[in-house]
């Protein structure tokens, strides 16, 4: 027995009252059987979109062609999709056409993995035509039908399979695994956005190393990141990503650092190109590139003065992310612990690190007669002075020093 939210029961009721079949289906059935709260409840029915539309007050047609209507109810929305059979796939991405069907069997058959291909209705109970429930207990990711054909139809399924293996900590069935390898090149046809979505879910899962290792062993990393020349990566290096807190920028940078950790490889530039290709937002692209660039300098930093220079460049928040990354990567190596200690001291003593921390403003400098580019130059000089000696961060002292800067 699955306990359904009231809204969902209401929607199923209306459809059934009007003589239709209606079930919850896919991810929500899988998650409930695993004892997890589903993110959203998807409904499938034999009623066609036009008919579904006529039963509810507030609806949005998300894709009539694909048979999906969104029903808005009490501030939530529920996707109702008509039973569907997919037509031929000619581009490894999406079906050329879809056909509505009156059989739930057709709809379950087109779904990607057995654990995602179960439906449930309060009257009928669980409809599990492909052993999804058994595979949930066996902790197995297995395609519905012939894995090779299913990946030929839609290559994104390869990455979805790896994502589910990573999120659920499941194994990939042997045939499905072989088909992932055989069809990996097709991932080149998938858009950056869709790859990004799956990669993010892998990185934010409890054990991203499961997904990353799978991508490594199947040769998918090389397909997704052709910029990186190495064929395989070190297992223990990959496993360290699990130890990073689940922050997307941090884990993404951790992954990129492993991928670009090669002699002569400009890590920041390569990372930037990869993230742009995967359509990451500007903030993430800039953030990761700046962390990768700073990562390359960390080994050379030996003093509080030098560390402040780096914090000034990338900001306090990113500097902390970077030091956490360094600590995890080196398994709390001596130098990483030393730098983290320095960082904490700098912050706990509220020592000045950037322009905002100076006890003097641009306005003060203008009043003292500085103009244009000289203002910036003077500020840089003052920052380095207070980096060395925080005690000098007093307005009178700084104003006095300005005069000397000008004299030079
Ligand atoms: P999540 O918890 O991440 O939302 P989900 O299983 O609900 O996981 P969705 O992307 O929301 O994933 O898709 C809902 C359902 O649609 C899946 O459970 C699966 O049955 C089916 N599905 C989604 N994408 C595909 C695909 N590319 N090929 C075949 N079936 C798919
Ligand atoms: Mg879902």
């Amino acid at each position: 027995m699955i306990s359904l939210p009231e809204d969902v029961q209401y929607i199923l009721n209306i459809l059934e009252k009007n003589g239709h079949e209606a079930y919850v289906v896919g991810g929500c059935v899988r998650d409930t059987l695993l004892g997890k709260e589903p993110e959203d409840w998807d409904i499938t029915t034999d009623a066609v979109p036009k008919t579904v539309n006529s039963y509810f007050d507030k609806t949005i047609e998300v894709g009539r062609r694909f048979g999906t209507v969104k029903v808005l109810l009490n501030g939530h929305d529920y996707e109702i999709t008509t039973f569907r059979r997919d037509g031929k796939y000619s581009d490894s991405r999406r079906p050329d056409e879809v056909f509505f069907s009156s059989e739930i069997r057709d709809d379950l058959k087109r779904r990607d993995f057995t654990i995602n291909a179960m439906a449930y209705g309060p009257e009928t109970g669980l409809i599990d035509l492909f052993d999804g429930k058994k595979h949930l207990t066996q902790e197995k990711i297995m395609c519905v039908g012939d894995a090779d054909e299913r990946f030929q139809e839609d290559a994104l399924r390869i990455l979805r399979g790896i994502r589910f293996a990573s999120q659920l900590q499941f194994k990939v069935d042997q045939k499905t695994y072989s088909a992932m390898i055989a069809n990996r090149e097709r991932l080149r046809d998938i858009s950056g956005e869709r790859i990004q979505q799956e990669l993010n879910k892998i990185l934010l899962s409890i054990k991203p190393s499961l997904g990353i290792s799978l991508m490594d062993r199947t040769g998918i990393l090389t397909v997704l990141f052709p910029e990186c020349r190495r064929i395989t990566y070190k297992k223990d290096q990959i496993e360290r990503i699990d130890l990073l807190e689940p922050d997307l920028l941090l884990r993404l940078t951790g992954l990129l650092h492993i991928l670009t950790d090669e002699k002569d490889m400009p890590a920041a530039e390569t990372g930037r190109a990869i993230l742009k290709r995967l359509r990451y937002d500007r903030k993430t692209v800039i953030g990761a590139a700046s962390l990768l660039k700073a990562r390359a300098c960390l080994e050379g930093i030996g003093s509080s003065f030098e560390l402040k220079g780096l914090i000034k460049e990338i900001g306090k928040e990113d500097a902390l992310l970077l030091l956490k990354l360094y600590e995890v990567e080196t398994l709390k190596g001596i130098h990483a612990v030393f730098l983290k200690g320095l960082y904490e001291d700098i912050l706990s003593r509220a020592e000045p690190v950037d322009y905002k921390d100076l006890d003097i403003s641009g306005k003060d400098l203008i009043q003292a007669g500085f103009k244009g580019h000289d203002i910036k130059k003077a500020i840089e000089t003052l920052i380095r002075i207070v980096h060395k000696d925080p005690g000098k961060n007093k307005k009178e002292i700084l104003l006095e020093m300005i005069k000397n800067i000008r004299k030079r």
Side-chain angles (χ1 to χ4, degrees):
M1 248 283 281
I2 290 180
S3 96
L4 303 173
E6 246 174 66
D7 287 351
V8 175
Q9 277 187 36
Y10 169 82
I11 295 173
L12 296 183
N13 261 336
I14 296 237
L15 289 162
E16 282 171 352
K17 224 173 55 193
N18 284 284
H20 298 288
E21 280 182 57
Y23 310 98
V24 291
V25 68
C28 60
V29 179
R30 176 198 69 222
D31 288 346
T32 329
L33 290 177
L34 286 170
K36 290 199 265 194
E37 182 75 23
E39 286 207 10
D40 36 41
W41 294 87
D42 295 331
I43 292 158
T44 185
T45 177
D46 60 357
V48 294
K50 212 172 122 201
T51 313
V52 173
N53 250 329
S54 69
Y55 297 143
F56 302 94
D57 291 343
K58 286 191 198 148
T59 59
I60 304 171
E61 278 203 57
V62 203
R64 177 173 282 225
R65 202 163 95 74
F66 293 103
T68 303
V69 174
K70 225 178 224 179
V71 170
L72 309 177
L73 214 57
N74 303 318
H76 294 276
D77 53 61
Y78 302 90
E79 287 196 352
I80 307 185
T81 306
T82 310
F83 295 163
R84 206 177 98 177
R85 234 166 358 103
D86 292 340
K88 232 172 71 74
Y89 286 73
S90 47
D91 63 354
S92 305
R93 270 184 301 208
R94 57 177 81 85
D96 303 335
E97 50 189 335
V98 305
F99 305 98
F100 294 145
S101 161
S102 53
E103 308 267 339
I104 177 72
R105 186 186 172 80
D106 286 331
D107 192 79
L108 297 180
K109 226 170 97 181
R110 72 165 174 97
R111 293 176 183 269
D112 48 7
F113 302 104
T114 57
I115 59 168
N116 287 346
M118 291 179 274
Y120 173 86
E123 298 294 324
T124 326
L126 189 69
I127 307 179
D128 178 15
L129 307 175
F130 306 101
D131 282 338
K133 197 172 170 195
K134 185 171 102 192
H135 297 155
L136 275 183
T137 40
Q138 293 175 340
E139 311 199 326
K140 188 154 86 180
I141 306 290
M142 186 173 163
C143 283
V144 172
D146 184 87
D148 205 49
E149 278 173 25
R150 303 312 308 279
F151 293 152
Q152 280 174 33
E153 289 169 356
D154 177 3
L156 184 73
R157 290 174 187 152
I158 299 174
L159 216 50
R160 282 176 57 88
I162 291 178
R163 185 257 284 193
F164 288 118
S166 200
Q167 283 180 325
L168 303 171
Q169 309 191 35
F170 280 15
K171 294 225 160 30
V172 179
D173 166 75
Q174 187 54 47
K175 277 208 174 120
T176 299
Y177 182 82
S178 304
M180 283 177 169
I181 297 176
N183 291 284
R184 64 184 179 208
E185 295 294 330
R186 295 178 192 276
L187 279 166
R188 294 191 206 280
D189 297 336
I190 303 295
S191 74
E193 287 89 343
R194 297 177 84 195
I195 290 181
Q196 187 210 128
Q197 270 182 0
E198 298 304 322
L199 183 64
N200 292 349
K201 287 185 178 173
I202 292 171
L203 285 172
L204 293 175
S205 64
I206 297 174
K207 269 194 168 189
S209 66
L210 290 178
I212 300 169
S213 301
L214 257 173
M215 290 195 281
D216 186 22
R217 279 183 276 129
T218 48
I220 288 171
L221 278 185
T222 321
V223 176
L224 294 185
F225 307 105
E227 296 87 347
C228 308
R229 293 180 290 262
R230 213 189 293 172
I231 307 295
T232 56
Y233 296 86
K234 288 196 201 92
K235 189 164 166 279
D236 56 339
Q237 233 185 349
I238 291 176
E239 279 171 359
R240 283 177 211 161
I241 296 187
D242 297 349
L243 306 175
L244 294 169
E245 57 189 84
D247 173 280
L248 186 61
L249 181 62
L250 183 61
R251 288 191 171 178
L252 199 51
T253 310
L255 173 65
L256 290 172
H257 179 59
I258 297 175
L259 294 175
T260 58
D261 186 20
E262 284 175 59
K263 241 174 99 194
D264 308 328
M265 175 164 273
E269 279 323 300
T270 312
R272 189 196 305 273
I274 290 174
L275 296 183
K276 274 193 169 164
R277 185 162 46 71
L278 298 184
R279 301 269 177 252
Y280 276 90
D281 59 275
R282 216 175 105 81
K283 195 169 163 227
T284 309
V285 178
I286 294 175
S290 122
L291 284 174
L292 286 167
K293 188 168 162 226
R295 175 65 191 82
C297 317
L298 274 186
E299 271 91 2
I301 293 182
S303 67
S304 179
F305 175 71
E306 285 166 343
L307 182 59
K308 283 175 195 170
L310 182 120
I311 302 175
K312 178 178 97 50
E313 284 303 315
I314 67 175
K316 288 174 195 164
E317 240 174 74
D318 279 2
L320 182 60
L321 279 186
L322 181 67
L323 292 172
K324 282 182 183 167
L325 179 67
Y326 190 36
E327 214 176 44
V328 166
E329 266 171 18
T330 59
L331 294 177
K332 292 205 182 249
I334 287 187
H335 190 241
V337 173
F338 166 69
L339 289 187
K340 185 96 176 296
L342 284 184
Y343 176 89
E344 279 156 11
D345 287 348
I346 294 168
L347 262 81
S348 68
R349 293 194 204 115
E351 290 182 8
V353 281
D354 61 28
Y355 164 66
K356 288 193 294 296
D357 302 327
L358 280 180
D359 196 26
I360 192 172
S361 66
K363 223 163 140 193
D364 295 321
L365 288 164
I366 293 169
Q367 270 171 12
F370 282 82
K371 281 197 191 83
H373 191 65
D374 284 343
I375 301 179
K376 209 171 153 220
K377 255 171 66 185
I379 285 175
E380 288 300 316
T381 313
L382 292 178
I383 288 178
R384 289 317 263 167
I385 290 172
V386 300
H387 276 178
K388 200 155 250 164
D389 185 355
K392 293 209 169 110
N393 192 22
K394 298 214 172 61
K395 197 164 186 158
E396 325 78 76
I397 306 182
L398 297 177
L399 284 172
E400 193 55 38
M401 263 184 309
I402 285 177
K403 292 181 196 155
N404 298 332
I405 294 175
R406 204 155 29 153
K407 268 183 216 142
R408 259 190 254 135

